Amino acid sequence: MSGRPSRGERGGRAWREGHRAEWLAALWLMLKGYRILGFRLKNRAGEIDILARRGRVLAVVEVKRRATLGAALSALTPRQTARLVAAAQQVAHGRKALQSLDIRLDIVALAPGRFPRHRRGVGS
């Protein structure tokens, strides 16, 4: 045995850290007045980490946790952006109460020892 964690152990740790990051992001958003509508919403277009609402805005929130806030903020690719917008449109289309809201893509960046950073309207 090499003493290194197995691939399965690393995957389990990453999964737990991802969930922890999403909960921290959700708490941060609630402190800012957002109502959390769902976590890890999956459809054919993709998966939405957090779906939140504040006023007339339906925020599709991608959560990125990296070693630095800068790395987390730059981790969203144009392909992911398009996929998240399509996923949000599918969710809104399927829920009458959400159809009239303005869809916006946000990111919450997390890094060890730093407060979360919420950037609104990324990719627009």
Side-chain angles (χ1 to χ4, degrees), residues 2-32:
S2 67
R4 289 182 12 189
S6 71
R7 183 174 181 188
E9 290 169 333
R10 287 191 310 268
R13 184 179 327 122
W15 185 84
R16 285 188 303 276
E17 288 176 3
H19 271 279
R20 189 176 306 122
E22 288 169 0
W23 280 102
L24 285 170
L27 287 171
W28 188 253
L29 292 167
M30 287 188 290
L31 288 171
K32 295 175 78 174

Side-chain angles (χ1 to χ4, degrees), residues 47-99:
E47 180 178 318
I48 297 170
D49 289 343
I50 298 174
L51 188 66
R53 179 180 180 175
R54 184 171 165 194
R56 305 270 323 130
V57 172
L58 180 64
V60 177
V61 183
E62 180 70 6
V63 179
K64 295 291 186 184
R65 183 181 183 278
R66 299 289 188 271
T68 67
L69 286 175
L73 287 167
S74 64
L76 191 61
T77 67
R79 184 175 179 198
Q80 285 177 307
T81 299
R83 180 182 48 79
L84 289 166
V85 169
Q89 289 169 339
Q90 281 189 12
V91 169
H93 181 73
R95 298 184 188 182
K96 188 172 177 85
L98 305 179
Q99 291 175 1

